[in-house]
């Protein structure tokens, strides 16, 4: 069974179309990223999936349940970290987690164990009994993440989870998400390309409510540009073997576009001698910027 | 059931922690109670016969506090919406109906608490009540609380921010209060206003509270309680229904 299925989803706010006919599927155990500029419709898509907003048109299924017809079954299977804070500011960190754990019907023993684990993960142990309204932005973010993970949901929706976190905490969260890979399904949005590239099995790029690309981070990247300087004989050999990759040639040099440089270089060295070579690696960010321009 | 308790407990905890709000919201009714009972001490209202105005007034003011606190419990929902916490609750496995019920009961709890404070103040002012009928007095307050928290929660599902509630105060709470017979018997009202006040659930709440505490009533107490029960069931259903339908941005 697919963890998430989205079919021709449309969401209008008044006469503004925030999501325009979006379709995608998320496999069980996958980490699925949604990338896109501000206002692309990422949060709106997530809000429909977690049953807070109702789709204008189209259908969506989470854990096999229709978000419109079986909203309460959907809610039993998900955990959410929202983009904006949704903590009870008048409560302490521990009270927030305890409230959440009780809301999800966790037993006392389980509650206590998981709360310690999660406070530990986000390094808030020493602040656990302080009121959340006295927390810094990053601390609130950390608590929010701890709460989303607390009840071990089958499917996690993380809307810009590491926004505003310091580098060290961000790494810890990444590590935790990687540990969850395979056992939980994770749908996350982010503006950090590095994060998407590191964590996600697949990425969908949204722009102005539409999907503009969907693939693995590796496939989304453009080819790397390789320039080789060599003798005429060697260049001829290269042309013979990798002709289809060549984009331009000049006296004593050729320029190629290569999808997978790591495996290209050994092959190249088998074929010809190289005097000098330069590689310009394309990044996911370059590819992304091109897509949303 | 579990979810209901968790949601109720959180609201009550919040209420206890925000002591300043508690005192602030009682300011007006306290002044009402003190100055009306002093000011009309010697007034002669024909339909009250030999009744002391203060004994007539106190059940009215106590019911008024229930009306205010109950309706305003909707503010806490709007507040939660603005501060985001509503989302945490709305994506949880606790059903929307349970959430609505939890909030209605927590609203009713705070309303009864406030009403009790006012009742004690009334006693200090010399309120002469029938102690053996006290359970009925509190039953009437509880039912009134359910009716108006239900209405408050229902309204809150339609409001995006706190400011809208000001309109509710001016065009709902005050007319309901003034047409309920809390300050004067409804039989003193002109015919047309009296008919309108018969459509007001608070009229029955005030009358029931008055009947239970001092034995004075303008309507059959059986009618009072039947109307209150019917209205509290209706508003509870309405609030749950709207809660089930609402979107959270
Ligand atoms: N409640 C609403 N009413 C009207 N318009 C809305 C509402 N919520 C979102 N929108 C609009 O829908 C569009 C998509 O918003 P959304 O929050 O989904 O963007 P996003 O991709 O999450 O952006 P960001 O990266 O800034 O978080 C925006 O143009 C926004 O203005
Ligand atoms: Mg967003």
């Amino acid at each position: 069974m697919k963890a998430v299925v989205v079919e021709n989803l449309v969401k209008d706010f008044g006469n503004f179309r925030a999501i325009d006919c979006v379709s995608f599927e998320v496999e069980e155990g996958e980490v699925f990223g949604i990338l896109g500029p501000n206002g692309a419709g990422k949060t709106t898509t997530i809000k429909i999936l977690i049953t807070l907003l109702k789709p204008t048109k189209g259908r969506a299924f989470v854990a096999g349940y229709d978000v419109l017809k079986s909203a309460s079954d959907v809610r039993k299977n998900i955990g959410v970290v929202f983009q904006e804070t949704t903590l009870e500011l008048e409560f302490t960190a521990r009270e927030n987690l305890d409230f959440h754990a009780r809301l999800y019907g966790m037993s006392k023993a389980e509650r206590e164990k998981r709360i310690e684990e999660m406070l530990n993960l986000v390094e808030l142990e020493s602040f656990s009994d302080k009121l959340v309204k006295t927390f810094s932005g990053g601390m609130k973010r950390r608590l929010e993440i701890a709460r989303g993970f607390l009840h071990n949901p089958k499917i996690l929706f993380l809307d810009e989870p590491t926004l505003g976190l310091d580098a060290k905490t961000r790494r810890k969260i990444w590590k935790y998400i990687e540990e969850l890979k395979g056992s939980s399904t994770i749908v996350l949005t982010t503006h950090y390309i590095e994060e998407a590239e590191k964590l996600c099995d697949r990425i969908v790029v949204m722009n102005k409510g539409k999907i503009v690309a969907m693939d693995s981070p590796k496939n989304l990247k453009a080819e790397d540009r390789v320039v080789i300087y060599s003798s005429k004989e060697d260049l001829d050999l290269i042309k013979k073997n990798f002709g289809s990759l060549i984009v331009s040639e000049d006296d004593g040099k050729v320029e190629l576009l290569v999808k997978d440089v790591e495996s290209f270089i050994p092959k190249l060295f088998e074929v010809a001698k190289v005097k000098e070579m330069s590689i310009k690696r394309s990044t996911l960010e370059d590819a992304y910027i091109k897509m949303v321009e | 059931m579990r979810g209901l308790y968790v949601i109720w407990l959180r609201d009550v905890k919040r209420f206890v922690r925000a002591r300043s709000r508690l005192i602030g919201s009682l300011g007006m009714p306290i002044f009402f109670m003190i100055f009306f009972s002093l000011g009309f001490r010697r007034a002669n209202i024909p339909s009250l016969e030999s009744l002391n105005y203060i004994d007539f007034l106190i059940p009215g003011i106590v019911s008024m506090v229930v009306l205010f606190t109950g309706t305003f419990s909707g503010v806490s929902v709007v507040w939660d919406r603005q501060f985001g916490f509503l989302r945490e609750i709305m994506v949880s496995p606790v059903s929307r109906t349970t959430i609505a019920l939890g909030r209605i009961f927590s609203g009713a709890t705070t309303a009864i608490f406030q009403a009790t404070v006012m009742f004690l103040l009334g006693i200090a002012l010399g309120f002469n009540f029938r102690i053996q009928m006290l359970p009925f007095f509190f039953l009437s307050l509880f039912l009134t609380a359910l009716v108006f928290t239900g209405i408050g929660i229902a309204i809150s599902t339609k409001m995006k921010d706190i400011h809208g509630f000001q309109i509710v105060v001016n065009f709902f709470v005050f007319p309901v209060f003034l047409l309920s017979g809390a300050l004067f018997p409804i039989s003193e009202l002109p015919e047309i206003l009296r008919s309108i006040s018969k459509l007001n659930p608070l009229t029955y709440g005030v009358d029931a509270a008055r009947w239970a505490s001092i034995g004075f009533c303008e309507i059959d107490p059986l009618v009072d309680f039947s109307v209150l029960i019917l209205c509290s069931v209706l508003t509870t259903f309405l609030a749950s229904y709207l809660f089930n339908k609402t979107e959270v941005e």
Side-chain angles (χ1 to χ4, degrees), chain A residues 220-236:
Chain A
L220 283 177
K221 273 193 234 178
E223 290 94 347
D224 297 324
R225 194 169 287 269
V226 181
V227 184
I228 302 166
Y229 303 86
S230 199
S231 65
K232 178 132 184 6
E233 301 87 70
D234 282 312
L235 286 180
D236 283 339

Side-chain angles (χ1 to χ4, degrees), chain B:
Chain B
M1 259 340 260
R2 163 180 51 77
L4 194 121
Y5 170 71
V6 177
I7 286 171
W8 176 85
L9 186 66
R10 175 254 171 178
D11 282 356
V12 171
K13 256 188 181 170
R14 245 189 96 92
F15 173 74
V16 172
R17 287 195 190 165
R19 279 180 218 92
S20 60
R21 233 183 2 184
L22 181 140
I23 296 162
S25 61
L26 281 183
M28 185 174 69
I30 287 175
F31 289 128
F32 266 48
M33 190 181 271
I34 294 175
F35 286 96
F36 275 97
S37 57
L38 291 178
F40 290 109
R41 196 171 24 149
R42 289 198 300 248
N44 195 356
I45 301 171
S47 47
L48 288 191
E49 293 153 12
S50 63
L51 202 61
N52 263 333
Y53 183 69
I54 179 164
D55 291 333
F56 174 85
L57 177 74
I58 286 171
I61 297 286
V62 172
S63 304
M64 170 188 107
V65 169
V66 172
L67 161 74
F68 275 57
T69 320
T71 312
F72 275 121
S73 61
V75 171
S76 70
V77 176
V78 181
W79 205 255
D80 276 353
R81 190 190 291 275
Q82 250 181 321
F83 281 86
F85 190 73
L86 189 62
R87 292 190 212 139
E88 150 81 347
I89 302 173
M90 297 293 256
V91 297
S92 80
V94 175
S95 79
R96 301 261 161 113
T97 306
T98 309
I99 296 171
L101 288 179
R103 306 217 83 147
I104 290 174
F105 281 115
S106 65
T109 306
T110 52
I112 295 294
F113 177 83
Q114 308 263 53
T116 307
V117 173
M118 294 305 294
F119 174 61
L120 294 176
L121 177 73
I123 293 175
L125 290 173
F127 185 33
N128 210 345
F129 63 98
R130 311 193 286 180
I131 199 149
Q132 72 279 14
M133 297 299 269
L134 217 50
F136 284 99
F137 179 64
F138 278 97
L139 177 65
S140 72
L141 295 181
F142 180 67
L143 292 172
T144 308
L146 289 186
V147 173
F148 289 101
T149 2
I151 292 175
I153 305 278
I155 294 172
S156 76
T157 61
K158 299 285 169 199
M159 294 225 162
K160 295 240 181 323
D161 57 41
I162 292 292
H163 309 298
F165 245 94
Q166 196 57 42
I167 300 169
V168 176
V169 178
N170 292 330
F171 292 95
F172 177 77
V173 174
F174 274 112
V176 164
F177 166 55
L178 294 171
L179 281 171
S180 68
L183 296 178
F184 41 77
I186 49 169
S187 52
E188 297 293 326
L189 286 170
E191 180 59 39
I192 174 149
L193 287 179
R194 193 162 57 217
S195 325
I196 296 175
S197 76
K198 286 279 174 66
L199 299 173
N200 177 1
L202 190 64
T203 305
Y204 302 89
V206 168
D207 198 65
R210 209 166 262 150
W211 166 77
S213 55
I214 58 171
F216 174 91
C217 58
E218 295 179 273
I219 304 165
D220 184 345
L222 212 59
V223 174
D224 287 336
F225 280 100
S226 312
V227 171
L228 285 175
I229 290 170
L230 186 72
C231 286
S232 55
V233 170
L234 278 179
T235 58
T236 304
F237 267 108
L238 178 72
S240 318
Y241 170 75
L242 290 175
F243 231 82
N244 270 298
K245 267 192 24 176
T246 188
E247 288 193 331
V248 188
E249 271 145 22

Side-chain angles (χ1 to χ4, degrees), chain A residues 150-163:
Chain A
L150 188 68
H151 60 285
N152 268 322
K154 228 161 77 189
I155 305 173
L156 261 163
F157 293 91
L158 313 175
D159 199 356
E160 301 190 26
T162 62
L163 182 75

